[in-house]
Amino acid sequence: DGTLVTSESTLDATKLSGNLPALNGSALTNIDGGKFLQIVQDTRTSQVSSSTTNSNVTISGLSVSITPSAATSKILILATITHGFSSTSSFVYRLLRDSTALNVGTTDPGSPVSGYVGTVAGKQNSTRGQPVSITFLDEPNTTSSITYSFTIKHNSGTWYLNTRDDNYGGASSVQAIEVGA
């Protein structure tokens, strides 16, 4: 007869027939937090390089600006940086919110090259350039515009963004995702 019969919280599947209506989440209530509110991205496909060693150098052309809609929002940063070096080099990347370095190690490893602590650190062979991935969930506590950017610090030769050497090129990108509280 087409009557839907339920018993408290149980649905009798034998009474179901035909097409069921599509579900729509617009009427859902009491679901808070974890929603992606906005996403911004920057991609750089051209090369940039730096021969400056032992100093944090801002990576030009790879940054995102976002204005959180609520002070309680979090910002998820996802970045892939394609890089190479002209010689074997120790390096560190730093993720910055405006001018503040985020998620930076607090312990210098005690090597002869002091100050090589950052968001991502490593040593790179000049013949094996590989992408570096950075993921960080920030809590900026603001509704003002903020910019996320990166610095590179290395100790030898030339650092290249988006190029390993004369043979290989790539692209780098960064996304900022506002996550509702």
Side-chain angles (χ1 to χ4, degrees):
D1 66 1
T3 304
L4 183 63
V5 179
T6 62
S7 171
E8 292 185 31
S9 63
T10 306
L11 180 63
D12 184 352
T14 63
K15 303 291 183 186
L16 297 175
S17 64
N19 293 329
L20 296 176
L23 297 176
N24 180 331
S26 64
L28 295 177
T29 59
N30 297 325
I31 298 176
D32 293 323
K35 298 175 187 171
F36 287 1
L37 303 179
Q38 62 174 313
I39 301 172
V40 293
Q41 174 175 275
D42 187 28
T43 300
R44 182 171 181 133
T45 57
S46 60
Q47 177 184 317
V48 66
S49 64
S50 174
S51 297
T52 301
T53 57
N54 302 317
S55 294
N56 290 305
V57 175
T58 300
I59 299 174
S60 64
L62 188 63
S63 65
V64 288
S65 294
I66 190 168
T67 303
S69 58
T72 55
S73 292
K74 297 179 182 182
I75 306 296
L76 178 61
I77 301 297
L78 306 171
T80 300
I81 299 174
T82 302
H83 69 182
F85 294 86
S86 64
S87 62
T88 299
S89 184
S90 296
F91 68 89
V92 295
Y93 285 99
R94 287 188 178 196
L95 168 63
L96 283 75
R97 178 197 330 116
D98 296 326
S99 60
T100 302
L102 302 174
N103 199 35
V104 173
T106 57
T107 305
D108 190 320
S111 69
V113 182
S114 63
Y116 273 75
V117 291
T119 305
V120 172
K123 188 165 188 158
Q124 187 70 57
N125 182 307
S126 63
T127 63
R128 293 184 173 87
Q130 297 178 3
V132 168
S133 294
I134 297 173
T135 303
F136 184 71
L137 185 62
D138 189 24
E139 298 181 48
N141 192 29
T142 186
T143 56
S144 299
S145 178
I146 48 182
T147 299
Y148 292 93
S149 61
F150 304 91
T151 62
I152 177 66
K153 182 177 183 179
H154 65 100
N155 71 343
S156 178
T158 302
W159 164 84
Y160 298 96
L161 179 70
N162 296 335
T163 307
R164 191 193 86 180
D165 56 26
D166 292 338
N167 299 314
Y168 302 100
S172 299
S173 65
V174 57
Q175 298 83 33
I177 303 168
E178 181 182 2
V179 181

